[in-house]
Amino acid sequence: MCPMVPHYKHIAPLRLDLINQMSFVAEKYLRYLPRTIPDFPSHGPDHSINIIEIIDKFVDNWDANLSDDEIFLLYVSAWFHDIGCLINRDNHQNHSVTILNRNSIVQDLLGKEMYTCLKSIVKYHSSDEDLKEVPLKWGRIDLQKVCAIFRMLDACEITEIKCPKGVYDIMITGEHPMSARADQFWRAHMNIESIQFECPKIKIYVEDCNISALVIERLELEIENDVADILSVNNVTSPTVEVTSIDMNYFVES
């Protein structure tokens, strides 16, 4: 299960207070996102914290040549990218930008350049948006690269932590059972034990390769559609996804 407080392994000590202020602002929105359980898993604070853990794993194991500012923007984006679900899950990326535009506190804390970059990352985390529209650079930030990386890492939040079995067991016996489609997604997430970054591979460990194909194929599509090309243009190794089934305490490559 995700920790209650993220570690932020790659943040400068002087910025810890700032990121904590960012999370405080974001959680005011995230706590009230309509869950629409059982059809969708949470996009609340737990989703943000899980992405921050994924960011740390990626930075530890991938040579993406990210600056301190760019890593900081990834962390901040983890908090704000889904706040637009408070308005509507459809088009939520643009609703998130609308909410940020109404929040002068975030702009005052970040400064104009970082605030502008944050809004771009938030908007373009959605596959509904064309990453090639993003400027290569914005000030000192390699913005297109950071947007592509964040979209990919958001799509990597697919393990059993996202859909806990204990919650699933309660929901399937409740008064409002989930749809067949939602049941597929919950089972797909519950089947994924972990995700690891070992450049040039994203390694996904599952109990049964077939059960999670629905979710893993979506990640592969995110990478294939623009992300891979943009990473290559920015001299970052584009990942391939490797799925491994776990069987009786040893790994068998699928």
Side-chain angles (χ1 to χ4, degrees):
M1 190 61 65
C2 67
M4 292 300 293
V5 179
H7 298 308
Y8 304 116
K9 286 179 64 178
H10 300 281
I11 199 167
L14 289 175
R15 273 183 161 162
L16 275 174
D17 184 57
L18 179 56
I19 193 67
N20 286 333
Q21 290 180 74
M22 293 288 101
S23 67
F24 179 77
V25 172
E27 284 191 69
K28 288 184 176 181
Y29 301 113
L30 294 174
R31 286 199 303 269
Y32 296 98
L33 297 191
R35 293 294 208 256
T36 57
I37 287 176
D39 283 334
F40 296 110
S42 171
H43 277 73
D46 47 334
H47 175 59
S48 297
I49 294 170
N50 290 338
I51 293 175
I52 289 164
E53 297 293 303
I54 290 169
I55 292 167
D56 284 337
K57 286 182 182 180
F58 178 79
V59 174
D60 280 340
N61 295 287
W62 218 274
D63 183 12
N65 193 28
L66 291 163
S67 69
D68 289 345
D69 286 337
E70 289 164 350
I71 295 170
F72 179 74
L73 278 169
L74 290 174
Y75 286 144
V76 177
S77 299
W79 284 112
F80 286 102
H81 71 289
D82 280 338
I83 59 174
C85 291
L86 188 61
I87 297 173
N88 198 310
R89 188 181 177 94
D90 293 337
N91 199 33
H92 73 277
Q93 71 279 7
N94 287 307
H95 294 316
S96 296
V97 173
T98 296
I99 293 172
L100 283 170
N101 282 332
R102 295 174 181 171
N103 194 307
S104 61
I105 295 173
V106 177
Q107 180 172 357
D108 291 344
L109 288 171
L110 288 180
K112 186 175 181 180
E113 181 180 312
M114 295 287 274
Y115 176 68
T116 299
C117 291
L118 169 64
K119 291 194 292 182
S120 289
I121 300 166
V122 165
K123 176 175 179 174
Y124 288 95
H125 87 276
S126 170
S127 57
D128 291 340
E129 307 294 339
D130 185 355
L131 280 169
K132 292 177 182 175
E133 295 177 355
V134 181
L136 282 172
K137 292 185 72 71
W138 191 271
R140 62 190 184 275
I141 304 299
D142 289 329
L143 185 56
Q144 193 180 71
K145 177 181 77 174
V146 176
C147 287
I149 289 172
F150 186 80
R151 179 184 290 188
M152 179 179 70
L153 298 184
D154 179 39
C156 286
E157 209 268 292
I158 57 175
T159 70
E160 60 182 349
I161 294 173
K162 189 179 186 75
C163 296
K165 186 177 185 302
V167 176
Y168 173 83
D169 288 343
I170 292 170
M171 289 195 305
I172 60 173
T173 59
E175 294 181 3
H176 304 286
M178 64 180 67
S179 66
R181 183 68 169 169
D183 185 73
Q184 275 187 296
F185 275 101
W186 275 78
R187 288 178 179 274
H189 288 297
M190 289 190 299
N191 181 65
I192 300 174
E193 296 287 335
S194 69
I195 186 166
Q196 305 296 330
F197 298 91
E198 296 181 20
C199 188
K201 295 178 180 179
I202 297 176
K203 293 189 173 184
I204 301 175
Y205 296 99
V206 303
E207 292 184 17
D208 183 320
C209 293
N210 295 319
I211 292 175
S212 294
L214 180 72
V215 169
I216 294 169
E217 286 169 5
R218 293 179 77 178
L219 170 59
E220 290 173 325
L221 281 173
E222 287 283 18
I223 295 170
E224 291 169 10
N225 295 337
D226 291 348
V227 169
D229 289 342
I230 288 170
L231 294 181
S232 297
V233 166
N234 286 277
N235 299 313
V236 178
T237 301
S238 178
T240 56
V241 175
E242 179 181 280
V243 183
T244 301
S245 61
I246 304 169
D247 183 21
M248 300 299 290
N249 298 318
Y250 66 90
F251 295 142
V252 178
E253 184 171 334
S254 63

